[in-house]
Amino acid sequence: MTSATTASAGAGAAGPAPRSPRAQAVVDLDAIRSNVARLAAATTAQVMAVVKADAYGHGLVPCARAALSSGATWLGVALLDEALALRSAGVGGRVFSWLLVPGDDVAAGVAADVDLSASATWLLDDVAAAARGLGRTARVHLKADTGLGRGGATEADWPSLVEHAVRLQADGLIEVVGLWSHLAWADAPGHPTIARQQHVFAEAVALAEGLGVRPEVRHLANSAATLTLPGAHLDLVRPGIAVYGLSPVPQDSTAEQLGLRPAMTLTARLALVKRVPAGTSVSYGHAWTSERETTLGVVPLGYADGLPRVAGNAGPLLAAGRRRTIIGRVCMDQVVIDLGDDPAGAGDEVVLFGPGDDGEPTAQDWADATGTISYEIVARIGPRVPRVHRGGDR
């Protein structure tokens, strides 16, 4: 950490440090490789690294390549556009996309050799039509709603979905390569819904197999289930947040205890440092007022960059060698911190979160401070913050 001047000497009078990024999210690809290797070692099933939502904010293509280089053989995305972006970048491996909506370019997905999920007969018909037009067979995973109440066919609709898929398979238009579902409470090991959903899924698989489906993979386990529920691993696991080194069960185990390393470090450079008297109120609504003479630092990150607005007077960070808390409200482009009498100057680095090696907060610390989950903290970091990937491709 550099220091242009000291607070007591009037830090705001000094010029800025040499040109450097306003803010950046540094992504450690070696950490992602290590995490994927750890997850692969925890199972005999195949590993699908979930890289949806720009790899949870970490950068889609670099993270996908890192995952494939360290034990994953599948990549999972929600949106078809994400799958096509991987293929456009030359990323190989099996790619699975599960959130298709009417109007999606299903033909492009089939042409790009993307595995597609189907929860309804209309979508099977769309996939079959695309396959017919391309003169090829599309790979499909049928999703059962086993209790999450989100995507997937209900128990009542499941037989007709499977029967329709079997007819299209007999015509050579699709191949049912997967049967899958998603757990609602996997992050609460021992929750009674877990066993219930496993039972319902087993019945769904049995029905499909009884109708002639011979799936290549059955899959149910997310990050939490991959790490805590071996009985749910089946043929394929789908870890998401754990790939990026964050605990899916923070109430029970930290990332370190699970053998994971957080991959993202979010930093910014102080835009302004200034000495103010006691009684100075800060930012909109004057939600914080200094009790004594102190030094304020302006950090050029705000809710437009992904910081939760509820982090006002709560969000932790590391600046001038100490853990501190945002003072006042989170603005669109900036927040303010109290530096006290510690030396600091414009251009000095502030670490909002990272792996915690040097005392900086973690994404989980931010989640705890703002009443959310670590997934949201990293995934919401916006496009104004450049990603810097370290570790390279192997």
Side-chain angles (χ1 to χ4, degrees):
M1 188 176 292
T2 60
S3 179
T5 184
T6 64
S8 59
R19 180 176 177 82
S20 56
R22 168 189 70 96
Q24 61 182 7
V26 177
V27 178
D28 182 354
L29 295 177
D30 285 333
I32 289 176
R33 292 188 185 92
S34 175
N35 296 332
V36 172
R38 158 75 179 95
L39 293 161
T43 183
T44 58
Q46 297 183 65
V47 176
M48 175 189 292
V50 177
V51 293
K52 64 178 181 176
D54 197 31
Y56 290 53
H58 291 68
L60 176 66
V61 172
C63 292
R65 288 177 172 152
L68 289 174
S69 73
S70 52
T73 54
W74 293 68
L75 298 170
V77 295
L79 308 182
L80 184 54
D81 284 348
E82 297 170 321
L84 297 177
L86 287 169
R87 291 303 196 220
S88 294
V91 176
R94 294 286 286 274
V95 175
F96 176 49
S97 173
W98 60 76
L99 189 58
L100 279 73
V101 300
D104 275 345
D105 190 354
V106 176
V110 175
D113 202 32
V114 175
D115 287 41
L116 303 172
S117 176
S119 301
T121 55
W122 67 261
L123 183 51
L124 285 175
D125 288 337
D126 282 359
V127 174
R132 183 181 292 108
L134 292 166
R136 60 186 300 170
T137 301
R139 291 196 302 269
V140 173
H141 299 232
L142 301 180
K143 185 177 185 182
D145 180 0
T146 57
L148 182 60
R150 203 174 61 179
T154 65
E155 289 186 68
D157 292 336
W158 180 249
S160 60
L161 178 70
V162 176
E163 289 167 355
H164 197 60
V166 169
R167 286 193 292 270
L168 294 173
Q169 183 167 266
D171 292 337
L173 297 172
I174 71 168
E175 180 183 2
V176 180
V177 297
L179 301 173
W180 76 293
S181 191
H182 198 59
L183 296 169
W185 283 88
D187 56 349
H191 196 280
T193 60
I194 297 173
R196 168 62 181 163
Q197 284 194 256
Q198 287 180 281
H199 176 72
V200 173
F201 185 61
E203 289 187 331
V205 169
L207 185 146
E209 291 179 340
L211 291 171
V213 173
R214 297 294 179 264
E216 174 187 348
V217 287
R218 301 157 300 149
H219 47 111
L220 184 64
N222 57 6
S223 285
T226 300
L227 291 165
T228 68
L229 195 64
H233 288 188
L234 305 177
D235 305 304
L236 177 69
V237 295
R238 306 187 308 265
I241 196 65
V243 169
Y244 310 100
L246 299 172
S247 173
V249 286
Q251 73 281 8
D252 295 326
S253 303
T254 65
E256 183 177 11
Q257 289 168 336
L258 293 171
L260 305 172
R261 179 169 176 78
M264 182 187 289
T265 299
L266 178 64
T267 67
R269 300 283 175 178
L270 288 173
L272 180 68
V273 176
K274 61 185 179 183
R275 197 72 175 167
V276 298
T280 298
S281 295
V282 170
S283 197
Y284 296 121
H286 287 175
W288 184 91
T289 300
S290 63
E291 297 179 353
R292 61 180 181 84
E293 182 182 3
T294 192
T295 301
L296 302 181
V298 177
V299 181
L301 280 172
Y303 61 76
D305 301 294
L307 300 190
R309 191 170 181 271
V310 295
N313 288 327
L317 41 74
L318 180 69
R322 298 189 188 187
R323 289 276 290 260
R324 306 176 193 275
T325 300
I326 291 169
I327 58 173
R329 294 183 182 174
V330 174
C331 304
M332 183 178 289
D333 312 297
Q334 55 198 292
V335 295
V336 181
I337 57 175
D338 181 8
L339 294 163
D341 297 323
D342 292 324
D348 284 1
E349 184 179 74
V350 175
V351 184
L352 285 88
F353 60 79
D357 297 344
D358 298 315
E360 77 276 10
T362 63
Q364 186 59 51
D365 291 331
W366 269 80
D368 293 341
T370 58
T372 186
I373 55 176
S374 61
Y375 305 61
E376 182 179 2
I377 297 300
V378 293
R380 68 184 295 157
I381 301 304
R384 298 201 309 182
V385 180
R387 272 53 169 182
V388 178
H389 294 93
R390 294 181 179 166
D393 291 334
R394 295 180 185 172

